[in-house]
Amino acid sequence: MKVLQCWDDGVVSDVRLADLLRRQRAKATFCLNPGLYQDTRSFGWLAEGREIWRLGHAELKSVYDGFEICCHSMTHPYLTSLTSSQLDWEIKASKDLLEKIFSKHVSGFCYPFNDYNDSVLAAVRAAGYLWARGGKEEAHIFPPADPLAFSPSCHFLDPAFWGKYDRAKERSDVFFFWGHSYELHSEDMWIDFERRIEKISSDDAVEWSFVGDLFV
Ligand SMILES: [Zn+2]
């Protein structure tokens, strides 16, 4: 079984997450909004009273070194509310910008708020993406009916995480979880999460994969 993980929004707690994942030899995909970075770290929003800060431009390459980069649009809007030229900028110009920042090809897209329709799908297809994360959670996730609506197995805090992992493993399917590093908001959660990643890394029956490696 291949195991995939996606982490969204490019925030400061990704530094700790990336270190943890490197320590545990785990592959991961980070979904970023290149239009929201400033030169230095900047305040993003409040989540349950905690300040969430975005990374600074200059540190992006080193923080995400060795991981897969996915485009999460330029500025994280509801894509279904945009005009076609706005869509093009959010979907295509963002891909170009990420490829320039990271000096590598970006093959995947992730719909902000999981919000998309046929026009958005068409814009993602026209921009040359090979896969996109979106859709409803399904029992069998791979291969998806449309690679531009590739649904994860579950959120990383889903209480049924291990049940879904075991069922995917029995079927030799793909197990794909997602989340935001800022949801790890206590030391206990970080410790529990690292144990989880360690357990997956030491499972001889599975291997970590980048999402894009399934769609080459
Ligand atoms: Zn997001």
Side-chain angles (χ1 to χ4, degrees):
M1 175 173 78
K2 289 191 184 336
V3 182
L4 323 174
Q5 54 181 324
C6 261
W7 297 93
D8 297 356
D9 300 352
V11 294
V12 168
S13 44
D14 280 359
V15 175
R16 183 171 181 178
L17 176 63
D19 286 346
L20 184 162
L21 296 173
R22 282 190 192 98
R23 190 160 61 238
Q24 299 298 340
R25 297 164 288 103
K27 292 182 178 176
T29 301
F30 286 90
C31 305
L32 309 181
N33 304 105
L36 295 178
Y37 294 113
Q38 298 178 20
D39 289 345
T40 55
R41 294 180 178 185
S42 56
F43 172 73
W45 67 96
L46 284 174
E48 292 167 9
R50 289 176 307 125
E51 290 190 2
I52 308 299
W53 283 63
R54 293 194 178 93
L55 289 164
H57 222 284
E59 62 188 330
L60 293 175
K61 246 186 126 159
S62 61
V63 169
Y64 297 113
D65 185 40
F67 295 101
E68 179 178 39
I69 301 301
C70 164
C71 184
H72 196 26
S73 80
M74 197 67 102
T75 63
H76 211 289
Y78 283 91
L79 294 173
T80 58
S81 67
L82 303 185
T83 64
S84 66
S85 64
Q86 288 172 325
L87 262 188
D88 194 52
W89 184 72
E90 288 287 349
I91 291 171
K92 176 67 170 80
S94 55
K95 180 177 189 286
D96 296 342
L97 184 52
L98 277 177
E99 289 181 341
K100 196 167 153 214
I101 294 170
F102 290 94
S103 307
K104 62 180 183 184
H105 182 58
V106 170
S107 69
F109 189 79
C110 171
Y111 304 103
F113 311 109
N114 199 20
D115 173 48
Y116 64 96
N117 58 17
D118 287 346
S119 311
V120 174
L121 272 171
V124 168
R125 191 164 280 119
Y129 291 100
L130 301 180
W131 63 273
R133 196 187 94 217
K136 293 198 298 277
E137 289 179 9
E138 292 170 39
H140 297 266
I141 65 165
F142 193 81
D146 182 346
L148 297 185
F150 181 30
S151 144
S153 312
C154 62
H155 184 268
F156 82 107
L157 295 176
D158 185 338
F161 182 93
W162 288 117
K164 291 179 179 177
Y165 177 91
D166 288 337
R167 277 197 297 283
K169 198 163 128 182
E170 282 160 19
R171 294 193 306 259
S172 299
D173 195 0
V174 163
F175 182 70
F176 179 13
F177 61 92
W178 70 281
H180 308 91
S181 58
Y182 63 78
E183 294 175 273
L184 293 160
H185 55 74
S186 69
E187 283 307 306
D188 284 351
M189 288 185 87
W190 280 100
I191 291 166
D192 174 71
F193 179 70
E194 180 151 12
R195 284 202 191 107
R196 248 198 274 185
I197 296 299
E198 193 174 14
K199 185 172 165 181
I200 296 171
S201 288
S202 59
D203 185 340
D204 291 337
V206 311
E207 61 174 333
W208 291 104
S209 173
F210 293 127
V211 184
D213 289 347
L214 301 184
F215 299 99
V216 286

